[in-house]
Amino acid sequence: MNAPITDAEALKQRMAALFADVKIPGVNMSIHDLSFEAGTVTLEFEVSNAAANQFGFVQGGMVATMLDGCIGMAGAIKSGGLLAMPCAELKVSFVRPVPVGRLIGRGETLRLGKTLAFLEAGLYDEAGKLLARASATAAPMPFPDMPPA
């Protein structure tokens, strides 16, 4: 098995490559910050009106997808870029209506085991106000470009 990537810049490049094909209509995502040691990631989302519902707020499924991205990437980072985090369970709490524009997502790995991972994420506006939260249980598995464990 390959060794985990612990260097922040190399890990950021690995995450950018792994998630390059993940597209959310009306949403552009970039990696702002990450930590292998903490198993955390901060993502920036630029959300257009194309992702809004009839009330002008980001549609709930889009919010869940952004939070899932934060969760999945946080777990992948904690694994050093070796493991994907397919969710077995995802719980989303919508705290406030989510506006279009610039949003900040923060994902955190609470525990990464061999068969289960526990992860959380929050979505914030530019002022740092919590808009939505998610918690997940995932079943870690090697990325397709990694040899089986």
Side-chain angles (χ1 to χ4, degrees):
M1 180 140 186
N2 294 353
I5 301 168
T6 59
D7 174 73
E9 192 53 41
L11 197 48
K12 188 174 184 179
Q13 290 175 6
R14 169 93 171 132
M15 293 299 105
L18 285 169
F19 290 88
D21 291 335
V22 177
K23 305 289 186 218
I24 306 169
V27 179
N28 289 319
M29 178 191 80
S30 62
I31 303 168
H32 178 68
D33 192 30
L34 57 80
S35 170
F36 165 75
E37 293 80 13
T40 58
V41 67
T42 301
L43 302 176
E44 292 183 11
F45 298 98
E46 190 61 45
V47 184
S48 74
N49 287 325
N53 61 23
Q54 63 271 36
F55 301 105
F57 296 109
V58 180
Q59 194 273 340
M62 299 286 197
V63 172
T65 301
M66 287 185 278
L67 289 165
D68 183 44
C70 295
I71 282 169
M73 197 174 295
I77 288 165
K78 185 65 177 174
S79 78
L82 302 177
L83 301 173
M85 298 291 139
C87 285
E89 174 187 49
L90 178 69
K91 178 185 182 289
V92 177
S93 298
F94 300 95
V95 179
R96 292 180 177 82
V98 177
V100 297
R102 186 173 174 268
L103 303 171
I104 307 299
R106 294 190 181 100
E108 176 182 13
T109 306
L110 303 177
R111 182 176 184 283
L112 175 58
K114 290 184 181 190
T115 58
L116 290 176
F118 299 93
L119 309 127
E120 290 184 346
L123 192 64
Y124 303 86
D125 65 14
E126 288 190 274
K129 190 179 291 185
L130 179 66
L131 303 170
R133 287 205 52 76
S135 61
T137 305
M141 62 184 289
F143 279 106
D145 65 347
M146 291 286 119

